[in-house]
Amino acid sequence: MKRLLTTVALLAALATPIWAVQPDEVLDDPALEARARVLSKDLRCLVCRNESIDESNAELARDLRLLVRERLVAGDSDDEAMSYIVNRYGEYVLLRPTATGANWLLWAAGPLMLLIGAGVGGGFLRNRSKATPETETLLNDAEKQRLAEIMKS
């Protein structure tokens, strides 16, 4: 049992996304490398979709990591490097898109739908409480006779 737990722990450690960045990608300057890692965590892998390029092992993620490092080595600031990549690949590459322009509607859609649903539900409950209860109508003699005939057959 102890051997099994050790094996599972080792496999879990090997599966961590920390090792997605290959040793040949790491910059010699620790400050530039730290900046590159921060930027890489904010960029979406276009293959994996909901994973940052820092965590992804996809070839395109590797290319994007190298591009980020290339821009930083060229002297770009963090904003300039991000702008370069966004201009090249579109805003979809950002894991946290900006809340401007058409994206504002996407950011606001969830809370708006919640408010609309609460309004519709509240209106339904209010109208339901104001409604007059329906009275039960009893069967007349002809209906009672027809029901008796149906029940006999």
Side-chain angles (χ1 to χ4, degrees):
M1 184 66 170
K2 189 175 182 180
R3 177 176 266 170
L4 176 65
L5 290 174
T6 305
T7 304
V8 169
L10 181 62
L11 289 175
L14 290 175
T16 59
I18 295 171
W19 293 338
V21 176
Q22 302 298 318
D24 61 334
E25 298 174 29
V26 177
L27 296 173
D28 293 332
D29 183 2
L32 280 179
E33 180 60 27
R35 285 176 53 203
R37 294 300 290 264
V38 168
L39 292 177
S40 295
K41 289 178 183 170
D42 289 337
L43 292 172
R44 177 189 318 272
C45 174
L46 299 173
V47 175
C48 306
R49 305 272 165 91
N50 253 358
E51 197 172 32
S52 73
I53 63 170
D54 195 54
E55 300 168 339
S56 176
N57 287 320
E59 284 296 318
L60 184 57
R62 175 182 164 78
D63 293 343
L64 283 171
R65 287 192 303 264
L66 291 173
L67 181 60
V68 167
R69 284 164 172 77
E70 177 184 307
R71 299 306 308 169
L72 293 178
V73 168
D76 285 1
S77 69
D78 293 354
D79 291 336
E80 290 172 338
M82 287 296 268
S83 295
Y84 178 82
I85 292 172
V86 168
N87 289 338
R88 190 168 183 183
Y89 292 97
E91 197 168 326
Y92 180 73
V93 78
L94 297 174
L95 273 175
R96 282 173 259 151
T98 59
T100 59
N103 286 343
W104 182 87
L105 181 61
L106 295 174
W107 282 98
L112 285 174
M113 289 297 144
L114 179 67
L115 292 174
I116 290 170
V120 169
F124 174 77
L125 291 175
R126 186 180 56 237
N127 289 341
R128 184 174 173 207
S129 67
K130 289 180 180 178
T132 58
E134 292 185 22
T135 58
E136 294 182 17
T137 56
L138 300 177
L139 298 177
N140 62 26
D141 291 335
E143 292 171 334
K144 287 180 184 177
Q145 186 179 6
R146 177 70 181 132
L147 179 60
E149 289 173 12
I150 292 173
M151 296 297 283
K152 285 181 185 176
S153 30

